Amino acid sequence: AAAVRQEEAQVAPLTGSASDQPAPGHAGDIAATLTKLVRDVPDHPRPGVTFKDIMPLLADAQGFAAAVNALAAGHEGIDKVVGIEARGFILAAPVACWLGVGFVPVRKQGKLPGPTYAETYELEYGTATVEVQVDAFGAGDRVLMIDDVLATGGTAAATAALIRRADAEVVSLGVLIELGFLGGRDRLADLDIRPLLRV
Ligand code: AMP
């Protein structure tokens, strides 16, 4: 039954190794899939913000698999995939399995046990702190960061700083959606950023 479902989803099963090529033929479709299955929620979590709600995408077997495949596509030679709490975890973990590499969580302050590196960054109101365990990477590991949405870029910049402090190399940032009008890309000038959809 699982094989049939994979066939219906028109994507390769998530059993590949890093050397396998992702399923071809969906690069153009994925933007349309995201447009259809990511919901705009006006004024969440506060007035004036249009929240990109990925829950309909996650709940759709074909859409979720297509998004994971597209995020993994073209990333040979990666050693670790980092997920950014919390929706980044949902996407990054299957991408890591697909690429045949390990998953590392970057978490909000106080969640990870043992010694951690911490980075604090500015939010519109106040600050936020993210952490990674000091032994999360091997020296020189090549890292793919994954999140659902790139907005102002503060979270991704802090995550990249953590990875570098932990002696690893940030190769790329993969996101479902880049909110281009917020200019996050400008804060990540040294990074290869790969959005599946740019709005
Ligand atoms: P930023 O640090 O501004 O790039 O914000 C990125 C983080 O906040 C990501 O982890 C996103 O999940 C979340 N985020 C920011 N803006 C939105 C939005 N409009 N819709 C959904 N998530 C968002």
mmCIF file with all atom_site columns, all heavy atoms in Angstrom, residues 87-114:
data_model
loop_
_atom_site.group_PDB
_atom_site.id
_atom_site.type_symbol
_atom_site.label_atom_id
_atom_site.label_alt_id
_atom_site.label_comp_id
_atom_site.label_asym_id
_atom_site.label_entity_id
_atom_site.label_seq_id
_atom_site.pdbx_PDB_ins_code
_atom_site.Cartn_x
_atom_site.Cartn_y
_atom_site.Cartn_z
_atom_site.occupancy
_atom_site.B_iso_or_equiv
_atom_site.pdbx_formal_charge
_atom_site.auth_seq_id
_atom_site.auth_comp_id
_atom_site.auth_asym_id
_atom_site.auth_atom_id
_atom_site.pdbx_PDB_model_num
ATOM 1   N N   . ARG A 1 87  ? 8.355  24.640 13.003 1.00 0.00 ? 87  ARG A N   1
ATOM 2   C CA  . ARG A 1 87  ? 7.878  24.057 11.740 1.00 0.00 ? 87  ARG A CA  1
ATOM 3   C C   . ARG A 1 87  ? 9.041  23.585 10.877 1.00 0.00 ? 87  ARG A C   1
ATOM 4   O O   . ARG A 1 87  ? 8.880  22.676 10.049 1.00 0.00 ? 87  ARG A O   1
ATOM 5   C CB  . ARG A 1 87  ? 6.964  25.044 11.006 1.00 0.00 ? 87  ARG A CB  1
ATOM 6   C CG  . ARG A 1 87  ? 5.613  25.237 11.697 1.00 0.00 ? 87  ARG A CG  1
ATOM 7   C CD  . ARG A 1 87  ? 4.745  26.218 10.957 1.00 0.00 ? 87  ARG A CD  1
ATOM 8   N NE  . ARG A 1 87  ? 5.343  27.523 10.836 1.00 0.00 ? 87  ARG A NE  1
ATOM 9   C CZ  . ARG A 1 87  ? 5.312  28.475 11.761 1.00 0.00 ? 87  ARG A CZ  1
ATOM 10  N NH1 . ARG A 1 87  ? 4.674  28.259 12.894 1.00 0.00 ? 87  ARG A NH1 1
ATOM 11  N NH2 . ARG A 1 87  ? 5.916  29.621 11.569 1.00 0.00 ? 87  ARG A NH2 1
ATOM 12  N N   . GLY A 1 88  ? 10.222 24.175 11.085 1.00 0.00 ? 88  GLY A N   1
ATOM 13  C CA  . GLY A 1 88  ? 11.395 23.708 10.355 1.00 0.00 ? 88  GLY A CA  1
ATOM 14  C C   . GLY A 1 88  ? 11.719 22.252 10.653 1.00 0.00 ? 88  GLY A C   1
ATOM 15  O O   . GLY A 1 88  ? 12.228 21.534 9.788  1.00 0.00 ? 88  GLY A O   1
ATOM 16  N N   . PHE A 1 89  ? 11.410 21.803 11.889 1.00 0.00 ? 89  PHE A N   1
ATOM 17  C CA  . PHE A 1 89  ? 11.668 20.396 12.246 1.00 0.00 ? 89  PHE A CA  1
ATOM 18  C C   . PHE A 1 89  ? 10.887 19.446 11.333 1.00 0.00 ? 89  PHE A C   1
ATOM 19  O O   . PHE A 1 89  ? 11.390 18.410 10.903 1.00 0.00 ? 89  PHE A O   1
ATOM 20  C CB  . PHE A 1 89  ? 11.216 20.088 13.678 1.00 0.00 ? 89  PHE A CB  1
ATOM 21  C CG  . PHE A 1 89  ? 11.988 20.781 14.761 1.00 0.00 ? 89  PHE A CG  1
ATOM 22  C CD1 . PHE A 1 89  ? 11.535 20.715 16.065 1.00 0.00 ? 89  PHE A CD1 1
ATOM 23  C CD2 . PHE A 1 89  ? 13.150 21.482 14.498 1.00 0.00 ? 89  PHE A CD2 1
ATOM 24  C CE1 . PHE A 1 89  ? 12.232 21.330 17.092 1.00 0.00 ? 89  PHE A CE1 1
ATOM 25  C CE2 . PHE A 1 89  ? 13.848 22.110 15.521 1.00 0.00 ? 89  PHE A CE2 1
ATOM 26  C CZ  . PHE A 1 89  ? 13.385 22.028 16.816 1.00 0.00 ? 89  PHE A CZ  1
ATOM 27  N N   . ILE A 1 90  ? 9.628  19.818 11.093 1.00 0.00 ? 90  ILE A N   1
ATOM 28  C CA  . ILE A 1 90  ? 8.713  18.931 10.351 1.00 0.00 ? 90  ILE A CA  1
ATOM 29  C C   . ILE A 1 90  ? 9.215  18.715 8.933  1.00 0.00 ? 90  ILE A C   1
ATOM 30  O O   . ILE A 1 90  ? 9.052  17.643 8.362  1.00 0.00 ? 90  ILE A O   1
ATOM 31  C CB  . ILE A 1 90  ? 7.296  19.558 10.333 1.00 0.00 ? 90  ILE A CB  1
ATOM 32  C CG1 . ILE A 1 90  ? 6.781  19.735 11.752 1.00 0.00 ? 90  ILE A CG1 1
ATOM 33  C CG2 . ILE A 1 90  ? 6.348  18.720 9.484  1.00 0.00 ? 90  ILE A CG2 1
ATOM 34  C CD1 . ILE A 1 90  ? 5.554  20.635 11.845 1.00 0.00 ? 90  ILE A CD1 1
ATOM 35  N N   . LEU A 1 91  ? 9.845  19.744 8.387  1.00 0.00 ? 91  LEU A N   1
ATOM 36  C CA  . LEU A 1 91  ? 10.354 19.660 7.010  1.00 0.00 ? 91  LEU A CA  1
ATOM 37  C C   . LEU A 1 91  ? 11.771 19.101 6.965  1.00 0.00 ? 91  LEU A C   1
ATOM 38  O O   . LEU A 1 91  ? 12.113 18.305 6.093  1.00 0.00 ? 91  LEU A O   1
ATOM 39  C CB  . LEU A 1 91  ? 10.330 21.056 6.379  1.00 0.00 ? 91  LEU A CB  1
ATOM 40  C CG  . LEU A 1 91  ? 8.930  21.678 6.281  1.00 0.00 ? 91  LEU A CG  1
ATOM 41  C CD1 . LEU A 1 91  ? 9.029  23.174 6.042  1.00 0.00 ? 91  LEU A CD1 1
ATOM 42  C CD2 . LEU A 1 91  ? 8.119  21.002 5.189  1.00 0.00 ? 91  LEU A CD2 1
ATOM 43  N N   . ALA A 1 92  ? 12.605 19.527 7.896  1.00 0.00 ? 92  ALA A N   1
ATOM 44  C CA  . ALA A 1 92  ? 14.028 19.163 7.839  1.00 0.00 ? 92  ALA A CA  1
ATOM 45  C C   . ALA A 1 92  ? 14.263 17.681 8.126  1.00 0.00 ? 92  ALA A C   1
ATOM 46  O O   . ALA A 1 92  ? 15.158 17.077 7.531  1.00 0.00 ? 92  ALA A O   1
ATOM 47  C CB  . ALA A 1 92  ? 14.825 20.011 8.831  1.00 0.00 ? 92  ALA A CB  1
ATOM 48  N N   . ALA A 1 93  ? 13.476 17.105 9.028  1.00 0.00 ? 93  ALA A N   1
ATOM 49  C CA  . ALA A 1 93  ? 13.719 15.693 9.380  1.00 0.00 ? 93  ALA A CA  1
ATOM 50  C C   . ALA A 1 93  ? 13.521 14.765 8.178  1.00 0.00 ? 93  ALA A C   1
ATOM 51  O O   . ALA A 1 93  ? 14.398 13.946 7.892  1.00 0.00 ? 93  ALA A O   1
ATOM 52  C CB  . ALA A 1 93  ? 12.833 15.294 10.562 1.00 0.00 ? 93  ALA A CB  1
ATOM 53  N N   . PRO A 1 94  ? 12.410 14.864 7.434  1.00 0.00 ? 94  PRO A N   1
ATOM 54  C CA  . PRO A 1 94  ? 12.299 14.005 6.242  1.00 0.00 ? 94  PRO A CA  1
ATOM 55  C C   . PRO A 1 94  ? 13.314 14.352 5.160  1.00 0.00 ? 94  PRO A C   1
ATOM 56  O O   . PRO A 1 94  ? 13.744 13.452 4.414  1.00 0.00 ? 94  PRO A O   1
ATOM 57  C CB  . PRO A 1 94  ? 10.860 14.212 5.760  1.00 0.00 ? 94  PRO A CB  1
ATOM 58  C CG  . PRO A 1 94  ? 10.355 15.415 6.459  1.00 0.00 ? 94  PRO A CG  1
ATOM 59  C CD  . PRO A 1 94  ? 11.136 15.566 7.714  1.00 0.00 ? 94  PRO A CD  1
ATOM 60  N N   . VAL A 1 95  ? 13.722 15.615 5.068  1.00 0.00 ? 95  VAL A N   1
ATOM 61  C CA  . VAL A 1 95  ? 14.770 15.966 4.086  1.00 0.00 ? 95  VAL A CA  1
ATOM 62  C C   . VAL A 1 95  ? 16.077 15.248 4.451  1.00 0.00 ? 95  VAL A C   1
ATOM 63  O O   . VAL A 1 95  ? 16.772 14.706 3.587  1.00 0.00 ? 95  VAL A O   1
ATOM 64  C CB  . VAL A 1 95  ? 14.980 17.495 4.015  1.00 0.00 ? 95  VAL A CB  1
ATOM 65  C CG1 . VAL A 1 95  ? 16.252 17.843 3.239  1.00 0.00 ? 95  VAL A CG1 1
ATOM 66  C CG2 . VAL A 1 95  ? 13.780 18.171 3.354  1.00 0.00 ? 95  VAL A CG2 1
ATOM 67  N N   . ALA A 1 96  ? 16.401 15.219 5.755  1.00 0.00 ? 96  ALA A N   1
ATOM 68  C CA  . ALA A 1 96  ? 17.619 14.525 6.201  1.00 0.00 ? 96  ALA A CA  1
ATOM 69  C C   . ALA A 1 96  ? 17.551 13.040 5.858  1.00 0.00 ? 96  ALA A C   1
ATOM 70  O O   . ALA A 1 96  ? 18.517 12.465 5.340  1.00 0.00 ? 96  ALA A O   1
ATOM 71  C CB  . ALA A 1 96  ? 17.813 14.720 7.706  1.00 0.00 ? 96  ALA A CB  1
ATOM 72  N N   . CYS A 1 97  ? 16.400 12.413 6.111  1.00 0.00 ? 97  CYS A N   1
ATOM 73  C CA  . CYS A 1 97  ? 16.239 10.992 5.768  1.00 0.00 ? 97  CYS A CA  1
ATOM 74  C C   . CYS A 1 97  ? 16.399 10.780 4.273  1.00 0.00 ? 97  CYS A C   1
ATOM 75  O O   . CYS A 1 97  ? 17.044 9.831  3.835  1.00 0.00 ? 97  CYS A O   1
ATOM 76  C CB  . CYS A 1 97  ? 14.858 10.488 6.201  1.00 0.00 ? 97  CYS A CB  1
ATOM 77  S SG  . CYS A 1 97  ? 14.699 10.263 7.960  1.00 0.00 ? 97  CYS A SG  1
ATOM 78  N N   . TRP A 1 98  ? 15.810 11.654 3.513  1.00 0.00 ? 98  TRP A N   1
ATOM 79  C CA  . TRP A 1 98  ? 15.874 11.559 2.052  1.00 0.00 ? 98  TRP A CA  1
ATOM 80  C C   . TRP A 1 98  ? 17.317 11.654 1.559  1.00 0.00 ? 98  TRP A C   1
ATOM 81  O O   . TRP A 1 98  ? 17.734 10.927 0.658  1.00 0.00 ? 98  TRP A O   1
ATOM 82  C CB  . TRP A 1 98  ? 15.006 12.651 1.442  1.00 0.00 ? 98  TRP A CB  1
ATOM 83  C CG  . TRP A 1 98  ? 15.194 12.888 -0.019 1.00 0.00 ? 98  TRP A CG  1
ATOM 84  C CD1 . TRP A 1 98  ? 15.780 13.980 -0.598 1.00 0.00 ? 98  TRP A CD1 1
ATOM 85  C CD2 . TRP A 1 98  ? 14.818 12.031 -1.091 1.00 0.00 ? 98  TRP A CD2 1
ATOM 86  N NE1 . TRP A 1 98  ? 15.797 13.844 -1.946 1.00 0.00 ? 98  TRP A NE1 1
ATOM 87  C CE2 . TRP A 1 98  ? 15.206 12.647 -2.288 1.00 0.00 ? 98  TRP A CE2 1
ATOM 88  C CE3 . TRP A 1 98  ? 14.205 10.788 -1.154 1.00 0.00 ? 98  TRP A CE3 1
ATOM 89  C CZ2 . TRP A 1 98  ? 14.998 12.070 -3.525 1.00 0.00 ? 98  TRP A CZ2 1
ATOM 90  C CZ3 . TRP A 1 98  ? 13.991 10.218 -2.394 1.00 0.00 ? 98  TRP A CZ3 1
ATOM 91  C CH2 . TRP A 1 98  ? 14.386 10.865 -3.548 1.00 0.00 ? 98  TRP A CH2 1
ATOM 92  N N   . LEU A 1 99  ? 18.089 12.571 2.161  1.00 0.00 ? 99  LEU A N   1
ATOM 93  C CA  . LEU A 1 99  ? 19.488 12.753 1.743  1.00 0.00 ? 99  LEU A CA  1
ATOM 94  C C   . LEU A 1 99  ? 20.407 11.696 2.367  1.00 0.00 ? 99  LEU A C   1
ATOM 95  O O   . LEU A 1 99  ? 21.581 11.609 2.004  1.00 0.00 ? 99  LEU A O   1
ATOM 96  C CB  . LEU A 1 99  ? 19.980 14.153 2.129  1.00 0.00 ? 99  LEU A CB  1
ATOM 97  C CG  . LEU A 1 99  ? 19.342 15.326 1.362  1.00 0.00 ? 99  LEU A CG  1
ATOM 98  C CD1 . LEU A 1 99  ? 19.776 16.654 1.963  1.00 0.00 ? 99  LEU A CD1 1
ATOM 99  C CD2 . LEU A 1 99  ? 19.694 15.263 -0.125 1.00 0.00 ? 99  LEU A CD2 1
ATOM 100 N N   . GLY A 1 100 ? 19.891 10.937 3.334  1.00 0.00 ? 100 GLY A N   1
ATOM 101 C CA  . GLY A 1 100 ? 20.698 9.909  3.977  1.00 0.00 ? 100 GLY A CA  1
ATOM 102 C C   . GLY A 1 100 ? 21.713 10.489 4.941  1.00 0.00 ? 100 GLY A C   1
ATOM 103 O O   . GLY A 1 100 ? 22.808 9.935  5.117  1.00 0.00 ? 100 GLY A O   1
ATOM 104 N N   . VAL A 1 101 ? 21.359 11.616 5.589  1.00 0.00 ? 101 VAL A N   1
ATOM 105 C CA  . VAL A 1 101 ? 22.273 12.259 6.544  1.00 0.00 ? 101 VAL A CA  1
ATOM 106 C C   . VAL A 1 101 ? 21.532 12.527 7.858  1.00 0.00 ? 101 VAL A C   1
ATOM 107 O O   . VAL A 1 101 ? 20.319 12.344 7.937  1.00 0.00 ? 101 VAL A O   1
ATOM 108 C CB  . VAL A 1 101 ? 22.851 13.581 5.977  1.00 0.00 ? 101 VAL A CB  1
ATOM 109 C CG1 . VAL A 1 101 ? 23.557 13.329 4.660  1.00 0.00 ? 101 VAL A CG1 1
ATOM 110 C CG2 . VAL A 1 101 ? 21.780 14.645 5.822  1.00 0.00 ? 101 VAL A CG2 1
ATOM 111 N N   . GLY A 1 102 ? 22.265 12.994 8.874  1.00 0.00 ? 102 GLY A N   1
ATOM 112 C CA  . GLY A 1 102 ? 21.673 13.244 10.182 1.00 0.00 ? 102 GLY A CA  1
ATOM 113 C C   . GLY A 1 102 ? 20.922 14.564 10.246 1.00 0.00 ? 102 GLY A C   1
ATOM 114 O O   . GLY A 1 102 ? 21.129 15.459 9.425  1.00 0.00 ? 102 GLY A O   1
ATOM 115 N N   . PHE A 1 103 ? 20.073 14.655 11.271 1.00 0.00 ? 103 PHE A N   1
ATOM 116 C CA  . PHE A 1 103 ? 19.252 15.850 11.525 1.00 0.00 ? 103 PHE A CA  1
ATOM 117 C C   . PHE A 1 103 ? 19.725 16.517 12.819 1.00 0.00 ? 103 PHE A C   1
ATOM 118 O O   . PHE A 1 103 ? 20.000 15.829 13.803 1.00 0.00 ? 103 PHE A O   1
ATOM 119 C CB  . PHE A 1 103 ? 17.789 15.422 11.671 1.00 0.00 ? 103 PHE A CB  1
ATOM 120 C CG  . PHE A 1 103 ? 16.895 16.468 12.270 1.00 0.00 ? 103 PHE A CG  1
ATOM 121 C CD1 . PHE A 1 103 ? 16.421 17.522 11.502 1.00 0.00 ? 103 PHE A CD1 1
ATOM 122 C CD2 . PHE A 1 103 ? 16.528 16.405 13.607 1.00 0.00 ? 103 PHE A CD2 1
ATOM 123 C CE1 . PHE A 1 103 ? 15.591 18.487 12.057 1.00 0.00 ? 103 PHE A CE1 1
ATOM 124 C CE2 . PHE A 1 103 ? 15.700 17.368 14.168 1.00 0.00 ? 103 PHE A CE2 1
ATOM 125 C CZ  . PHE A 1 103 ? 15.231 18.412 13.387 1.00 0.00 ? 103 PHE A CZ  1
ATOM 126 N N   . VAL A 1 104 ? 19.814 17.839 12.804 1.00 0.00 ? 104 VAL A N   1
ATOM 127 C CA  . VAL A 1 104 ? 20.184 18.595 14.012 1.00 0.00 ? 104 VAL A CA  1
ATOM 128 C C   . VAL A 1 104 ? 19.124 19.673 14.253 1.00 0.00 ? 104 VAL A C   1
ATOM 129 O O   . VAL A 1 104 ? 18.857 20.483 13.366 1.00 0.00 ? 104 VAL A O   1
ATOM 130 C CB  . VAL A 1 104 ? 21.569 19.257 13.852 1.00 0.00 ? 104 VAL A CB  1
ATOM 131 C CG1 . VAL A 1 104 ? 21.856 20.200 15.027 1.00 0.00 ? 104 VAL A CG1 1
ATOM 132 C CG2 . VAL A 1 104 ? 22.667 18.210 13.740 1.00 0.00 ? 104 VAL A CG2 1
ATOM 133 N N   . PRO A 1 105 ? 18.531 19.702 15.462 1.00 0.00 ? 105 PRO A N   1
ATOM 134 C CA  . PRO A 1 105 ? 17.572 20.757 15.771 1.00 0.00 ? 105 PRO A CA  1
ATOM 135 C C   . PRO A 1 105 ? 18.251 22.011 16.316 1.00 0.00 ? 105 PRO A C   1
ATOM 136 O O   . PRO A 1 105 ? 19.145 21.920 17.159 1.00 0.00 ? 105 PRO A O   1
ATOM 137 C CB  . PRO A 1 105 ? 16.690 20.124 16.855 1.00 0.00 ? 105 PRO A CB  1
ATOM 138 C CG  . PRO A 1 105 ? 17.595 19.179 17.563 1.00 0.00 ? 105 PRO A CG  1
ATOM 139 C CD  . PRO A 1 105 ? 18.614 18.699 16.549 1.00 0.00 ? 105 PRO A CD  1
ATOM 140 N N   . VAL A 1 106 ? 17.825 23.162 15.818 1.00 0.00 ? 106 VAL A N   1
ATOM 141 C CA  . VAL A 1 106 ? 18.153 24.435 16.464 1.00 0.00 ? 106 VAL A CA  1
ATOM 142 C C   . VAL A 1 106 ? 16.889 24.858 17.203 1.00 0.00 ? 106 VAL A C   1
ATOM 143 O O   . VAL A 1 106 ? 15.826 25.025 16.595 1.00 0.00 ? 106 VAL A O   1
ATOM 144 C CB  . VAL A 1 106 ? 18.599 25.486 15.427 1.00 0.00 ? 106 VAL A CB  1
ATOM 145 C CG1 . VAL A 1 106 ? 18.503 26.905 16.005 1.00 0.00 ? 106 VAL A CG1 1
ATOM 146 C CG2 . VAL A 1 106 ? 20.041 25.203 15.010 1.00 0.00 ? 106 VAL A CG2 1
ATOM 147 N N   . ARG A 1 107 ? 17.027 24.978 18.544 1.00 0.00 ? 107 ARG A N   1
ATOM 148 C CA  . ARG A 1 107 ? 15.853 25.128 19.393 1.00 0.00 ? 107 ARG A CA  1
ATOM 149 C C   . ARG A 1 107 ? 15.831 26.462 20.106 1.00 0.00 ? 107 ARG A C   1
ATOM 150 O O   . ARG A 1 107 ? 16.841 27.146 20.238 1.00 0.00 ? 107 ARG A O   1
ATOM 151 C CB  . ARG A 1 107 ? 15.818 24.005 20.439 1.00 0.00 ? 107 ARG A CB  1
ATOM 152 C CG  . ARG A 1 107 ? 15.747 22.611 19.829 1.00 0.00 ? 107 ARG A CG  1
ATOM 153 C CD  . ARG A 1 107 ? 14.968 21.661 20.686 1.00 0.00 ? 107 ARG A CD  1
ATOM 154 N NE  . ARG A 1 107 ? 13.588 22.111 20.872 1.00 0.00 ? 107 ARG A NE  1
ATOM 155 C CZ  . ARG A 1 107 ? 12.690 21.466 21.604 1.00 0.00 ? 107 ARG A CZ  1
ATOM 156 N NH1 . ARG A 1 107 ? 13.037 20.360 22.256 1.00 0.00 ? 107 ARG A NH1 1
ATOM 157 N NH2 . ARG A 1 107 ? 11.463 21.922 21.712 1.00 0.00 ? 107 ARG A NH2 1
ATOM 158 N N   . LYS A 1 108 ? 14.639 26.800 20.571 1.00 0.00 ? 108 LYS A N   1
ATOM 159 C CA  . LYS A 1 108 ? 14.508 27.989 21.410 1.00 0.00 ? 108 LYS A CA  1
ATOM 160 C C   . LYS A 1 108 ? 15.216 27.739 22.737 1.00 0.00 ? 108 LYS A C   1
ATOM 161 O O   . LYS A 1 108 ? 15.405 26.592 23.146 1.00 0.00 ? 108 LYS A O   1
ATOM 162 C CB  . LYS A 1 108 ? 13.032 28.309 21.605 1.00 0.00 ? 108 LYS A CB  1
ATOM 163 C CG  . LYS A 1 108 ? 12.443 28.855 20.298 1.00 0.00 ? 108 LYS A CG  1
ATOM 164 C CD  . LYS A 1 108 ? 10.936 28.842 20.235 1.00 0.00 ? 108 LYS A CD  1
ATOM 165 C CE  . LYS A 1 108 ? 10.503 29.268 18.828 1.00 0.00 ? 108 LYS A CE  1
ATOM 166 N NZ  . LYS A 1 108 ? 9.129  28.832 18.507 1.00 0.00 ? 108 LYS A NZ  1
ATOM 167 N N   . GLN A 1 109 ? 15.567 28.836 23.385 1.00 0.00 ? 109 GLN A N   1
ATOM 168 C CA  . GLN A 1 109 ? 16.399 28.782 24.591 1.00 0.00 ? 109 GLN A CA  1
ATOM 169 C C   . GLN A 1 109 ? 15.815 27.854 25.667 1.00 0.00 ? 109 GLN A C   1
ATOM 170 O O   . GLN A 1 109 ? 14.617 27.880 25.927 1.00 0.00 ? 109 GLN A O   1
ATOM 171 C CB  . GLN A 1 109 ? 16.522 30.188 25.168 1.00 0.00 ? 109 GLN A CB  1
ATOM 172 C CG  . GLN A 1 109 ? 17.527 30.305 26.273 1.00 0.00 ? 109 GLN A CG  1
ATOM 173 C CD  . GLN A 1 109 ? 17.776 31.758 26.628 1.00 0.00 ? 109 GLN A CD  1
ATOM 174 O OE1 . GLN A 1 109 ? 16.874 32.581 26.601 1.00 0.00 ? 109 GLN A OE1 1
ATOM 175 N NE2 . GLN A 1 109 ? 19.006 32.086 26.949 1.00 0.00 ? 109 GLN A NE2 1
ATOM 176 N N   . GLY A 1 110 ? 16.691 27.056 26.255 1.00 0.00 ? 110 GLY A N   1
ATOM 177 C CA  . GLY A 1 110 ? 16.317 26.276 27.426 1.00 0.00 ? 110 GLY A CA  1
ATOM 178 C C   . GLY A 1 110 ? 15.781 24.891 27.154 1.00 0.00 ? 110 GLY A C   1
ATOM 179 O O   . GLY A 1 110 ? 15.439 24.160 28.080 1.00 0.00 ? 110 GLY A O   1
ATOM 180 N N   . LYS A 1 111 ? 15.679 24.503 25.895 1.00 0.00 ? 111 LYS A N   1
ATOM 181 C CA  . LYS A 1 111 ? 15.077 23.202 25.551 1.00 0.00 ? 111 LYS A CA  1
ATOM 182 C C   . LYS A 1 111 ? 16.113 22.091 25.432 1.00 0.00 ? 111 LYS A C   1
ATOM 183 O O   . LYS A 1 111 ? 15.821 20.927 25.718 1.00 0.00 ? 111 LYS A O   1
ATOM 184 C CB  . LYS A 1 111 ? 14.330 23.291 24.222 1.00 0.00 ? 111 LYS A CB  1
ATOM 185 C CG  . LYS A 1 111 ? 13.259 24.350 24.172 1.00 0.00 ? 111 LYS A CG  1
ATOM 186 C CD  . LYS A 1 111 ? 12.012 23.893 24.886 1.00 0.00 ? 111 LYS A CD  1
ATOM 187 C CE  . LYS A 1 111 ? 10.875 24.881 24.671 1.00 0.00 ? 111 LYS A CE  1
ATOM 188 N NZ  . LYS A 1 111 ? 9.721  24.553 25.505 1.00 0.00 ? 111 LYS A NZ  1
ATOM 189 N N   . LEU A 1 112 ? 17.313 22.414 24.958 1.00 0.00 ? 112 LEU A N   1
ATOM 190 C CA  . LEU A 1 112 ? 18.307 21.373 24.682 1.00 0.00 ? 112 LEU A CA  1
ATOM 191 C C   . LEU A 1 112 ? 19.120 21.063 25.944 1.00 0.00 ? 112 LEU A C   1
ATOM 192 O O   . LEU A 1 112 ? 19.591 21.989 26.611 1.00 0.00 ? 112 LEU A O   1
ATOM 193 C CB  . LEU A 1 112 ? 19.258 21.823 23.565 1.00 0.00 ? 112 LEU A CB  1
ATOM 194 C CG  . LEU A 1 112 ? 18.673 21.866 22.161 1.00 0.00 ? 112 LEU A CG  1
ATOM 195 C CD1 . LEU A 1 112 ? 19.615 22.612 21.213 1.00 0.00 ? 112 LEU A CD1 1
ATOM 196 C CD2 . LEU A 1 112 ? 18.390 20.459 21.633 1.00 0.00 ? 112 LEU A CD2 1
ATOM 197 N N   . PRO A 1 113 ? 19.309 19.781 26.260 1.00 0.00 ? 113 PRO A N   1
ATOM 198 C CA  . PRO A 1 113 ? 20.109 19.426 27.431 1.00 0.00 ? 113 PRO A CA  1
ATOM 199 C C   . PRO A 1 113 ? 21.607 19.545 27.152 1.00 0.00 ? 113 PRO A C   1
ATOM 200 O O   . PRO A 1 113 ? 22.045 19.436 26.004 1.00 0.00 ? 113 PRO A O   1
ATOM 201 C CB  . PRO A 1 113 ? 19.731 17.965 27.668 1.00 0.00 ? 113 PRO A CB  1
ATOM 202 C CG  . PRO A 1 113 ? 19.373 17.449 26.317 1.00 0.00 ? 113 PRO A CG  1
ATOM 203 C CD  . PRO A 1 113 ? 18.766 18.607 25.557 1.00 0.00 ? 113 PRO A CD  1
ATOM 204 N N   . GLY A 1 114 ? 22.384 19.755 28.219 1.00 0.00 ? 114 GLY A N   1
ATOM 205 C CA  . GLY A 1 114 ? 23.845 19.779 28.097 1.00 0.00 ? 114 GLY A CA  1
ATOM 206 C C   . GLY A 1 114 ? 24.342 21.110 27.555 1.00 0.00 ? 114 GLY A C   1
ATOM 207 O O   . GLY A 1 114 ? 23.579 22.051 27.380 1.00 0.00 ? 114 GLY A O   1
#
